[in-house]
Amino acid sequence: MAFPLTAHWAGRSIYDIDPAALARRGIRLLLADLDNTLVPYGVPEPTEQVREWTAALERHGVTLFVLSNNRHPERPGRFSKALGVPFIGHAGKPKTGSFYKAMEQMGRTAEETAIVGDQIFTDILGGRNAGVFTLLVEPIRLAGNPGRYLRYAVEWPFRALTKRRTKPL
Ligand SMILES: [Mg+2]
């Protein structure tokens, strides 16, 4: 049963996502949330670990594409350019427009596309509505913002359901 508030797969972090397994599923375009998915809020540049994981995806024919709701005019661009990947900032997830725009830009269908993110009500809901494969990870760091704890609490049942149903990629 497809339920729009559960993801197809759940893991602890992006590093639980095996690039070879994604490629075997026919995924060629991996849309990725930025804040608290690739790096914590406020970390301006990709870490060495993110760079290595992106390179591993590339070796398996999977292109990373940053799809960020961050409204800062420079944050998503600076990070993505440093990582050498395409991006859309102020993406408006869960609205599907930015998902379709990214797929069109990269010449990929929904069947060839996945989204990874740490939030149910933006990343996963948007991905479900756009018809792509959805991967849920835990937020890297909740500290410093009470709103994030509240949101996490509201998401909790859908996270729990996703985790209970998840199978290896
Ligand atoms: Mg996020």
Side-chain angles (χ1 to χ4, degrees):
M1 185 186 68
F3 188 58
L5 292 176
T6 59
H8 294 97
W9 176 92
R12 213 166 35 82
S13 82
I14 55 169
Y15 306 111
D16 287 340
I17 300 169
D18 175 16
L22 265 194
R24 277 197 300 273
R25 294 193 73 103
I27 301 299
R28 293 291 171 268
L29 175 62
L30 178 58
L31 309 174
D33 173 54
L34 173 54
D35 293 306
N36 254 351
T37 296
L38 294 180
V39 291
Y41 281 91
V43 173
E45 301 263 338
T47 60
E48 197 49 45
Q49 204 181 5
V50 169
R51 290 176 192 274
E52 283 167 17
W53 181 71
T54 303
L57 286 167
E58 207 56 60
R59 283 197 298 277
H60 286 89
V62 182
T63 302
L64 191 73
F65 191 119
V66 173
L67 203 64
S68 173
N69 274 7
N70 196 305
R71 290 164 189 243
H72 192 282
E74 282 151 33
R75 154 86 165 146
R78 179 178 171 187
F79 181 93
S80 306
K81 281 171 193 158
L83 191 56
V85 301
F87 73 97
I88 294 175
H90 202 160
K93 295 171 286 183
K95 285 185 280 189
T96 51
S98 62
F99 289 80
Y100 296 133
K101 195 171 157 197
M103 289 190 266
E104 191 184 325
Q105 189 179 323
M106 302 307 289
R108 295 301 182 187
T109 64
E111 290 72 31
E112 296 171 313
T113 303
I115 171 99
V116 58
D118 70 298
Q119 283 186 48
I120 297 273
F121 296 106
T122 54
D123 307 313
I124 302 307
L125 180 58
R128 281 290 201 176
N129 287 338
V132 306
F133 192 70
T134 52
L135 305 139
L136 177 68
V137 293
E138 292 293 316
I140 298 172
R141 194 190 290 159
L142 289 173
N145 185 331
R148 281 176 215 150
Y149 284 100
L150 186 63
R151 195 171 59 211
Y152 189 81
V154 175
E155 290 177 341
W156 186 83
F158 307 106
R159 273 181 196 282
L161 190 57
T162 295
K163 283 186 204 163
R164 203 160 71 220
R165 291 177 174 180
T166 200
K167 295 185 200 82
L169 270 178

